[in-house]
Amino acid sequence: MKNIAILCSGGDVSGMNPALKHFVEYSFEKGLRPYFIYDGYEGLIDNTIKQVTYSDVAGIITQGGTKIGSSRSKRFMQKNYRTQAKQNLDDLDIGMLVVLGGDGSFRGLDIFYKEHGVKFCGIPSTIDNDIKGTDYCLGVDTALNTIKTSIDAIRDTASSFRRAFIIETMGRDCGYLALVSHLTSGSELCLVPEKKYDLKSYEKNFKEQIKNGRRYFIAIVSEGIKQDAQEIADWFEKEIGIESRVCVLGHIQRGGNPSIYDRLMAYKFVTHAIDALLENKKESIVCYDTSGFSLKSIHLLVDGKKELDKKLLDYLK
Ligand code: F6P
């Protein structure tokens, strides 16, 4: 029996637990012995690695976050700790690794592979949806649904009071969550780092809309824009003349019951990852786009930055 391990790294996403469950089940189906590495690369360094079985994943499919913990490991950036990590894997005879993480996690993995040749397969997992080479990252659908529910709720109170609400979404430097939420929630304004804006250009139209009876505005702003959400609220108060409030959605976007789509994607991502390792693919990431799943070399993904879909961006007026 060959040994295979899985870890989660970087920001957790809803979908990691369904992925862990399928990892255990599919490993057994393929005659492999599954291990969990706790707390990401930190656990790889500290040897918190445990052989697991079905009972370790019972009932976790409904839970957000990750049962095995995650981390943003600074130590893994250092060569001596990576050597320690490799030693830990060797001691347990683990020759295959599945990593759920974002681009930072994959950069660390790329270095680890170049130094030690540990065979791995990565599964893009970040609500930011900002990994080059894939259109979809695990957790995005659940995050978007959480944002949708929040905006729908805020709309109720905004309309009751005649207010503008500035809703800040996560995404780091990527405006994907904000943009998709804008297009699907019918908000009046959306600001993302990928598109220059001039607040002045909205003034005449927004004032006219109030004159014509508009009671409220919803503005969705990505955390990566240069201005603070409060500055946008101040602009609404001063220039548009409507009382304003800021709502930073923050980490609620990362948690919650995984959506059906993320549960299914978790299942498929893990199946492709384990199959790839069994086919002796050594350093690949499972990617997904309109033509389906494919494996891409990690080198292609860690070089450069993912651009936000141009067609989607063009919808933003
Ligand atoms: O990468 C996922 C993400 O949620 C980003 O959208 C956000 O900027 C960041 O992580 C927050 O990081 P932390 O959980 O460390 O505060």
Side-chain angles (χ1 to χ4, degrees):
M1 235 184 177
K2 284 187 177 160
N3 297 341
I4 184 167
I6 192 166
L7 67 81
C8 301
S9 175
D12 54 287
V13 304
S14 287
M16 282 177 165
N17 279 329
L20 295 174
K21 179 174 165 62
H22 187 54
F23 167 79
V24 171
E25 290 167 354
Y26 196 56
S27 293
F28 283 129
E29 193 181 320
K30 290 288 170 179
L32 302 168
R33 192 182 288 119
Y35 284 77
F36 281 168
I37 300 170
Y38 289 85
D39 300 328
Y41 296 132
E42 287 291 295
L44 192 55
I45 295 165
D46 294 333
N47 206 14
T48 42
I49 306 173
K50 188 186 141 208
Q51 193 185 327
V52 285
T53 185
Y54 296 108
S55 60
D56 291 285
V57 291
I60 69 170
I61 203 163
T62 61
Q63 296 164 15
T66 161
K67 185 190 156 81
I68 64 173
S70 186
S71 62
R72 301 190 199 277
S73 175
K74 291 209 171 67
R75 289 191 298 163
F76 200 64
M77 312 294 272
Q78 295 174 44
K79 195 175 168 55
N80 56 323
Y81 288 114
R82 290 193 297 271
T83 307
Q84 178 62 51
K86 165 71 165 120
Q87 188 59 54
N88 293 337
L89 289 176
D90 287 350
D91 290 347
L92 290 167
D93 198 21
I94 295 170
M96 289 181 272
L97 194 57
V98 176
V99 173
L100 283 84
D103 57 351
S105 309
F106 290 163
R107 265 186 267 280
L109 192 56
D110 186 37
I111 299 168
F112 191 50
Y113 176 77
K114 281 176 185 150
E115 282 172 2
H116 298 289
V118 175
K119 189 161 83 171
F120 72 84
C121 191
I123 295 178
S125 310
T126 166
I127 65 164
D128 300 346
N129 212 22
D130 63 347
I131 299 181
K132 206 179 150 198
T134 187
D135 284 356
Y136 191 76
C137 299
L138 194 62
V140 171
D141 184 64
T142 307
L144 284 171
N145 277 296
T146 302
I147 297 169
K148 179 204 73 171
T149 306
S150 309
I151 296 171
D152 290 353
I154 287 170
R155 184 183 294 279
D156 295 343
T157 176
S159 61
S160 306
F161 261 88
R162 291 182 182 269
R163 280 175 173 166
F165 264 85
I166 320 316
I167 302 171
E168 185 187 284
T169 57
M170 276 188 168
R172 217 178 278 274
D173 301 326
C174 177
Y176 184 85
L177 290 177
L179 178 53
V180 173
S181 300
H182 165 67
L183 299 175
T184 54
S185 296
S187 63
E188 283 65 49
L189 179 67
C190 175
L191 305 175
V192 294
E194 291 84 353
K195 192 151 184 163
K196 280 198 181 127
Y197 61 87
D198 175 10
L199 289 178
K200 260 210 141 350
S201 67
Y202 298 97
E203 285 177 10
K204 189 166 169 272
N205 178 271
F206 283 8
K207 280 181 193 162
E208 249 168 48
Q209 289 195 42
I210 291 181
K211 259 195 213 145
N212 292 335
R214 171 171 283 287
R215 293 179 58 84
Y216 67 94
F217 289 89
I218 302 282
I220 303 176
V221 303
S222 177
E223 66 174 349
I225 63 165
K226 295 222 160 60
Q227 280 179 294
D228 205 58
Q230 187 56 52
E231 289 176 56
I232 311 296
D234 293 344
W235 170 78
F236 265 105
E237 296 230 341
K238 253 175 81 190
E239 306 301 337
I240 311 298
I242 184 165
E243 189 180 21
S244 304
R245 294 287 186 273
V246 168
C247 177
V248 177
L249 295 181
H251 289 78
I252 62 160
Q253 294 162 95
R254 284 236 297 260
N257 178 273
S259 69
I260 288 293
Y261 189 73
D262 274 323
R263 293 182 196 197
L264 187 60
M265 286 303 276
Y267 192 98
K268 292 179 179 176
F269 269 127
V270 166
T271 304
H272 282 276
I274 293 179
D275 286 347
L277 290 166
L278 289 174
E279 283 161 22
N280 209 24
K281 301 272 171 12
K282 293 194 163 70
E283 40 79 44
S284 53
I285 306 288
V286 186
C287 294
Y288 182 78
D289 61 23
T290 44
S291 50
F293 287 92
S294 63
L295 294 171
K296 293 187 184 165
S297 164
I298 195 164
H299 310 309
L300 298 174
L301 272 75
V302 295
D303 284 346
K305 192 176 174 286
K306 178 179 166 117
E307 299 295 328
L308 188 53
D309 181 354
K310 172 104 181 41
K311 286 191 186 130
L312 210 53
L313 204 51
D314 283 345
Y315 291 132
L316 190 56
K317 301 286 176 273

